[in-house]
Amino acid sequence: MNSPQQTTTNKVTTTAVGGYTVIDRTKTSSNSLAPSSGGYGGGFVGDSITRGRKKVPLSPGHGQLDWMRFSQKSGNLSGVEGRNKYTLEEVSKHSTRNDAWMVLRGKIFNITPYLEYHPGSVEELLRASGRDGTEMFDEYHPWVNADSMLEKCYVGELKRSTPNPQASDTVGLSREEWRALEVSYVSSPTPDVRIIRLAFPSHVTTSGFTHCVQHISIRVLIDGKPFVREYTPTSSLDQHQYIELTIKLYPDGRMSRVLSAIQVGSILRVLGPFSSLKLEDINHVSNGIQNPKSYSKYVMICGGSGITPMYQILDFISFKQKESNNNSNDDFPEILLIIANKNSNSVFMKTDVEKFLSQTSFQEKLKIHYVYSGEDSNKNKVENSNNITHTFGKLSGVLLKQLINDVSDDLFAFVCGPPMFNSKMSTALISLGVVKE
């Protein structure tokens, strides 16, 4: 979508990895956690939490009745001719806002035309793009007849790929089957944060992560039914012994209730990795070769736990710099990282992110700006520096324009946070002339 003010080659990507805060006011009590069983075996971690869903305002003319009228008068909305069979690997290539496929009970639908009509937000529906979304669909509305609602969007049937037993035995993760991984380490640096490591079995030689940015799905049992949430690992791309997750706990979050009580030896079901963005495709330099699609400036905007994919990007750039054995950071992009929170005490992964400021990759390249929207007792104690600045107030379009200063053609923006946050930030960026990708 082009800005009404100007058309540029700038891009903004809204990513749904690990940035969602699901709020449920229902009081809960945790049940016992599943014991270890070794390898990929074991049961679920779970608790007895009641479901709920938070709707978002839809644009005028985008209600469910509007969708019914639109789909009834439309022709083929699938984007393909004929009815074919596709593997999950092929489906995974359709995972962006402009090209989104989803599998429901073995049937593949092109959900791109329906995104703006989804009452749970575009970002929430994109969680299931490029993958099997049956469990997430059933989590919120198992009574909905998807075959009828998405009839014109039907692409074809899912073709189950023939697994290579030898290959799958050495790869820790899978996008087609849930892997049961044992919790090998748990720490609580603060009361509202958990660092959890999920260990791969000893026969695994590679994790399954192939590029930056990728996330995984974790499944637990809630009221006896599967409950799925996405998380972006904070372990390095070359780590093949375990997955490390840094998770912010929310008092009313349903998954938070489970993970706050997690113990070493517990089993968590994991699926993935998934991705709607490959940083290497936009990275300024890949393997020492100038990328024709490269951008020399990144603007990274995150709210709350949306910091985790931004951390993964910073960690990847740091890794590439060390891998190149080049002491210069001339080939790496300038980065403005904007972190929005309620107050200075609620900043997630603050120390982890600020450690990059001292690394060669980011010297004179990385700027961090904190925005605090609520009351803050530390307001008079916070000091600005050359690389770290603060604003007390709302992260508005006006403030965003001041922080970015110059929207040039080689700017790429990333957004990650709750759905409403993503929507507001994307709108603000588009108004500045950044093209939505």
Side-chain angles (χ1 to χ4, degrees), residues 183-202:
V183 176
S184 62
Y185 173 86
V186 178
S187 70
S188 304
T190 63
D192 63 344
V193 173
R194 290 291 182 277
I195 297 176
I196 300 172
R197 288 181 182 173
L198 302 173
F200 294 119
S202 57

Side-chain angles (χ1 to χ4, degrees), residues 15 17-18 173 175 207-217 231-235 237 245 272-280 308-309 312-313:
T15 176
V17 283
L173 294 172
R175 282 196 290 245
S207 65
F209 291 102
T210 57
H211 62 267
C212 180
V213 183
Q214 290 183 296
H215 63 278
I216 59 172
S217 293
Y231 294 95
T232 305
T234 49
S235 45
L237 194 63
L245 304 173
F274 303 101
S275 176
S276 59
L277 170 70
K278 187 175 181 179
L279 186 67
E280 290 89 327
T308 52
Q312 192 181 99
I313 293 171

Side-chain angles (χ1 to χ4, degrees), residues 101-209:
W101 288 10
M102 176 175 66
V103 179
L104 286 175
R105 298 180 180 84
K107 297 181 178 180
I108 304 169
F109 298 94
N110 182 352
I111 58 174
T112 314
Y114 179 69
L115 288 173
E116 298 290 343
Y117 295 86
H118 184 241
S121 81
V122 172
E123 284 76 16
E124 188 72 3
L125 186 55
L126 282 174
R127 290 175 57 207
S129 65
R131 57 184 293 186
D132 192 326
T134 304
E135 288 185 344
M136 283 184 276
F137 181 87
D138 288 344
E139 178 187 325
Y140 293 118
H141 27 55
W143 59 87
V144 174
N145 187 336
D147 288 352
S148 174
M149 185 178 70
L150 299 173
E151 179 182 7
K152 299 289 184 69
C153 302
Y154 177 67
V155 173
E157 299 289 321
L158 180 65
K159 179 171 65 177
R160 298 293 178 182
S161 58
T162 303
N164 181 337
Q166 186 174 0
S168 62
D169 193 49
T170 59
V171 179
L173 294 172
S174 170
R175 282 196 290 245
E176 297 194 24
E177 64 175 0
W178 290 91
R179 297 284 172 87
L181 300 182
E182 182 174 340
V183 176
S184 62
Y185 173 86
V186 178
S187 70
S188 304
T190 63
D192 63 344
V193 173
R194 290 291 182 277
I195 297 176
I196 300 172
R197 288 181 182 173
L198 302 173
F200 294 119
S202 57
H203 59 261
V204 168
T205 59
T206 180
S207 65
F209 291 102

Side-chain angles (χ1 to χ4, degrees), residues 270-335:
V270 179
L271 190 72
F274 303 101
S275 176
S276 59
L277 170 70
K278 187 175 181 179
L279 186 67
E280 290 89 327
D281 288 342
I282 63 165
N283 204 22
H284 196 54
V285 169
S286 179
N287 297 323
I289 301 174
Q290 185 75 23
N291 189 334
K293 296 183 181 179
S294 67
Y295 297 84
S296 62
K297 183 175 181 180
Y298 293 169
V299 175
M300 302 159 67
I301 309 169
C302 56
S305 56
I307 185 63
T308 52
M310 311 308 181
Y311 175 89
Q312 192 181 99
I313 293 171
L314 295 175
D315 187 63
F316 175 78
I317 293 174
S318 175
F319 170 76
K320 295 298 288 184
Q321 197 275 333
K322 293 175 183 176
E323 188 181 54
S324 67
N325 292 319
N326 186 353
N327 292 325
S328 171
N329 65 357
D330 293 341
D331 292 332
F332 291 91
E334 295 181 4
I335 300 174

Side-chain angles (χ1 to χ4, degrees), residues 21 31 45 66 167 235 259 286 325 336 348 352 357 367 393 395:
T21 306
N31 293 332
V45 168
D66 298 302
S235 45
L259 298 182
S286 179
N325 292 319
L336 170 61
F348 182 47
D352 302 272
L357 289 168
K367 307 290 183 183
L395 179 52

Side-chain angles (χ1 to χ4, degrees), residues 396-409:
S396 62
V398 174
L399 176 58
L400 203 58
K401 183 177 181 179
Q402 293 173 351
L403 293 173
I404 295 176
N405 190 22
D406 177 37
V407 179
S408 57
D409 289 350

